[in-house]
Amino acid sequence: MADDSPIRLTTLSHGGGCGCKIAPAVLKSILADLPPTFADPALLVGNDSSDDAAVYKIDNGQAVVATTDFFMPIVDDPFDFGRIAATNALSDVYAIGARPIMALAIVGMPIDKLPVAVIQQILAGGAAACNDAGIAIAGGHSIDAPEPIYGLAAMGLVVPKNIKRNDTAEEGDVLILGKPLGIGILSGALQRGELNGAGYREMLDTTTQLNKVGTALADIAGVHAMTDVTGFGLLGHLLEVCRGSALAASIDLSALPILPTARRLAADGASTGAATRNWQSYGHEVRLAENIPAWGQSMLCDPQTSGGLLVACAPREANSVLGMFHDSGFMAATRIGEMVAGDAQVRVSSNEQA
């Protein structure tokens, strides 16, 4: 990986990427007793469903989408860090079926520790991702912070009838995952100095791939729900779909797309503290088959930075949805399970031996 700076960005922060997110259980307790917000009928998607972005209706043909996402370094290369962070932030716009239109930069940097040239490279990486998305970074806000922080406040447009929420899955829907899992495990290996060049390329290729296909998926009526998999891991974000839709989900561990290096590391016992916190938050809502190995549980909870779209669609549309993913360059996209009747929980089986 190319890094002209001797400074390791990951040593300047206590966490990295979406692994920085507050654990689901802790976040739930923080938000539990907040006063109700103003009831605006034009607010089509707010914070009541743990969805990916807020949506405000302008008229029957147009709604504005707004979201924000930022985190501390997941890699040491400043350009790569900026590019990953921006790609991750834009994912929430795509996950709701919208088209991004512009972004504002969120910048917090330890000015006494980072040279100006390094900070410029972080911003350049973010600008490169936005250029790939076809939008401008139109401004932003910066502060002198004790740890490096970068991300975006992103805005988009969507036709109201095409909004893809995370709480509208239907019984019998096929579940399709767009990107492979394992980013948290690779990130941990990088911080320990144990990630080889091939593993870094796997990590960079997937975290900088824009989830643009979400905009096209919005046009398919048979796509009933959509979200992206980030800091709460596959199980955490799938459980949000289950709770909101009043359904259970059944997934097959052996069907999951997993980054090759991450799978090898996980099988050797690698995991992350964030995966442990995730399991402690929602493990009681998960039913694991007896042959699920320990590494499988870790992978299911592994925090994903700039992860893939998770789509719940009618069975008749599954092949079309998979074709759209593959045509858009998401070659690992695959069917991982289905939505089924039952209390909100995820049931995990496997066709492989432990």
Side-chain angles (χ1 to χ4, degrees):
M1 59 188 181
D3 185 355
D4 296 329
S5 169
I7 297 173
R8 289 193 62 192
L9 291 178
T10 55
T11 66
L12 300 179
S13 60
H14 72 280
C18 286
C20 298
K21 291 181 74 168
I22 295 174
V26 177
L27 181 60
K28 182 179 179 180
S29 67
I30 292 172
L31 300 177
D33 297 322
L34 291 181
T37 59
F38 175 72
D40 190 334
L43 185 64
L44 301 182
V45 182
N47 63 4
D48 56 327
S49 63
S50 302
D51 221 317
D52 296 293
V55 184
Y56 193 88
K57 183 178 179 180
I58 303 301
D59 53 40
N60 288 335
Q62 191 166 243
V64 175
V65 174
T67 184
T68 183
D69 212 315
F70 52 90
F71 48 61
M72 291 167 280
I74 187 174
V75 294
D76 292 314
D77 184 281
F79 185 87
D80 290 348
F81 168 44
R83 191 175 167 207
I84 292 168
T87 303
N88 177 76
L90 292 172
S91 183
D92 285 340
V93 176
Y94 294 124
I96 212 155
R99 172 180 60 86
I101 55 172
M102 71 171 184
L104 304 174
I106 299 169
V107 183
M109 296 292 156
I111 300 302
D112 60 333
K113 298 176 183 176
L114 285 181
V116 169
V118 172
I119 299 173
Q120 289 175 330
Q121 280 297 298
I122 294 171
L123 302 186
C130 288
N131 285 340
D132 289 344
I135 64 169
I137 296 181
H141 185 66
S142 61
I143 62 170
D144 186 353
E147 297 179 315
I149 298 170
Y150 181 73
L152 302 175
M155 285 135 279
L157 294 175
V158 66
V159 178
K161 68 180 180 64
N162 287 348
I163 294 169
K164 302 303 180 185
R165 299 173 59 106
N166 71 350
D167 61 355
T168 48
E170 298 183 7
E171 183 179 347
D173 276 354
V174 171
L175 291 170
I176 293 172
L177 180 61
K179 288 185 182 182
L181 303 175
I183 294 302
I185 288 171
L186 296 185
S187 174
L190 176 67
Q191 292 181 39
R192 295 190 302 272
E194 299 173 358
L195 188 66
N196 60 24
Y200 187 81
R201 286 190 295 275
E202 291 173 20
M203 182 180 178
L204 190 63
D205 286 347
T206 187
T207 55
T208 58
Q209 186 176 22
L210 290 162
N211 281 320
K212 290 182 180 181
V213 67
T215 306
L217 291 171
D219 293 327
I220 303 178
V223 172
H224 297 140
M226 189 158 63
T227 189
D228 63 343
V229 179
T230 54
F232 297 159
L234 174 61
L235 288 180
H237 293 285
L238 180 52
L239 279 166
E240 289 177 339
V241 176
C242 292
R243 296 185 198 111
S245 306
L247 292 168
S250 175
I251 62 173
D252 179 5
L253 175 67
S254 58
L256 297 182
I258 299 173
L259 293 165
T261 301
R263 180 174 182 128
R264 175 178 58 79
L265 290 170
D268 288 341
S271 186
T272 65
T276 299
R277 293 192 297 273
N278 282 341
W279 180 258
Q280 291 171 344
S281 294
Y282 53 64
H284 62 283
E285 298 175 273
V286 181
R287 303 292 178 266
L288 298 178
E290 291 183 358
N291 66 332
I292 300 299
W295 72 261
Q297 177 181 312
S298 295
M299 189 65 68
L300 290 163
C301 302
D302 189 54
Q304 302 305 290
T305 298
S306 190
L309 295 180
L310 178 63
V311 177
C313 68
R316 67 179 183 279
E317 299 289 2
N319 288 338
S320 295
V321 169
L322 277 172
M324 292 176 70
F325 270 110
H326 296 159
D327 290 345
S328 299
F330 296 88
M331 305 314 296
T334 190
R335 175 175 177 163
I336 65 168
E338 61 183 345
M339 301 299 297
V340 297
D343 295 335
Q345 61 177 241
V346 178
R347 307 163 190 166
V348 184
S349 62
S350 176
N351 289 324
E352 293 182 357
Q353 293 299 314

